Amino acid sequence: MKYLKKINKGFILTIIVLLMLLIYAFSVEAKRNASKPQIEEACKDYIKDITQYAVLPENNQKLYNTNLNNKEEQENKEKEIKNAIEKQIEETEKVLKSKMIENEKAVKMQKDLFEAFLVMNNDSNKEVLTKYNKEITKIRKMDFDENQVTVTFSGKVEKETKYLDSFSEEEKELFKKGDFVTEGETMTLKKENRRMESNICRLAIHGL
């Protein structure tokens, strides 16, 4: 009889522990599900805030025919474009610092990538980016790991560039669209503190 009582006590304790684990698991899952709209919104806000600087101001979206400009004039115009890019980078860096966790290396990496994007898409001798809009079309999954979450999503990009028509004598400016969709992009977000129980804790972008 005593043996049975011991077994019963052990069995009951096991059941209690299992129930506590189940309750904890359900609680964590409920909090994660509740935070998903906030996480999705943070991702969309980040992309919106960053891509607003993907295109130079209209007065700097200039194309030049090197055959028609002297060297000094060409250098001055290239310097003008370079200064415009530097201003865009300064504004972008402010956004990155406000959105990303406090990590200078991570911020610098994103800033360098964005700078390379601007330089590549603003060659005044070839073509210049005039429009660039990016948006998340669908969240594919969210992988939670302690105090951070990796979001996988599909996106859509609307892109327009202008270039000089080399087949015309006046070399008119022409426009072309380059819209495309993206799949499997990821963004990792991390809470700013360790209070995982707080669903209202602001999420900061860890990387893109």
Side-chain angles (χ1 to χ4, degrees):
M1 195 72 177
K2 290 182 178 179
Y3 178 72
L4 289 174
K5 286 182 178 180
K6 288 182 179 180
I7 293 178
N8 289 338
K9 286 181 179 178
F11 179 73
I12 291 170
L13 286 172
T14 301
I15 294 297
I16 291 173
V17 171
L18 289 173
L19 284 172
M20 290 176 67
L21 289 173
L22 284 172
I23 291 171
Y24 174 76
F26 279 120
S27 175
V28 170
E29 188 64 23
K31 288 177 181 178
R32 287 176 174 178
N33 287 333
S35 66
K36 284 181 179 180
Q38 181 191 13
I39 292 170
E40 182 176 351
E41 193 65 27
C43 292
K44 289 180 177 180
D45 286 346
Y46 175 81
I47 290 175
K48 180 181 177 182
D49 291 341
I50 290 296
T51 55
Q52 67 176 313
Y53 298 110
V55 178
L56 295 181
E58 190 173 354
N59 62 314
N60 296 122
Q61 299 171 10
K62 297 178 181 179
L63 291 165
Y64 306 110
N65 183 345
T66 54
N67 297 323
L68 301 179
N69 296 311
N70 61 48
K71 185 177 180 181
E72 183 179 357
E73 184 181 5
Q74 182 66 24
E75 288 178 349
N76 288 336
K77 290 173 179 177
E78 288 178 354
K79 185 177 180 180
E80 181 182 339
I81 298 296
K82 183 180 178 181
N83 290 337
I85 290 176
E86 288 177 353
K87 288 182 179 179
Q88 292 289 87
I89 293 299
E90 288 177 6
E91 295 302 315
T92 304
E93 187 174 17
K94 292 177 184 177
V95 174
L96 290 171
K97 287 181 176 180
S98 69
K99 294 287 183 179
M100 297 179 69
I101 61 171
E102 293 183 7
N103 184 318
E104 290 185 10
K105 186 177 180 181
V107 171
K108 185 180 185 304
M109 182 179 71
Q110 295 301 316
K111 186 187 78 169
D112 290 347
L113 287 171
F114 198 80
E115 183 174 3
F117 173 88
L118 282 175
V119 172
M120 180 179 67
N121 286 282
N122 288 283
D123 187 337
S124 59
N125 297 321
K126 295 181 180 179
E127 60 180 42
V128 173
L129 191 65
T130 56
K131 179 181 178 182
Y132 189 89
N133 294 322
K134 182 174 183 176
E135 62 180 60
I136 294 175
T137 54
K138 187 172 183 178
I139 300 294
R140 294 298 178 181
K141 64 176 180 177
M142 294 186 185
D143 295 321
F144 290 86
D145 181 15
E146 295 184 358
N147 65 335
Q148 69 179 34
V149 56
T150 299
V151 182
T152 303
F153 60 91
S154 301
K156 179 179 70 174
V157 174
E158 295 178 345
K159 180 180 178 182
E160 181 184 79
T161 57
K162 68 177 179 179
Y163 62 98
L164 292 176
D165 181 9
S166 58
F167 295 102
S168 66
E169 292 183 4
E170 303 86 359
E171 290 202 330
K172 295 179 180 178
E173 290 185 353
L174 299 178
F175 294 84
K176 64 179 179 180
K177 290 184 177 295
D179 299 353
F180 59 93
V181 296
T182 64
E183 294 290 345
E185 288 192 89
T186 61
M187 189 183 300
T188 303
L189 294 87
K190 186 176 182 180
K191 282 193 174 182
E192 290 186 314
N193 57 46
R194 298 181 181 276
R195 294 176 57 192
M196 291 300 291
E197 70 278 9
S198 174
N199 284 324
I200 61 172
C201 177
R202 187 171 71 85
L203 293 170
I205 299 300
H206 180 58
L208 177 60

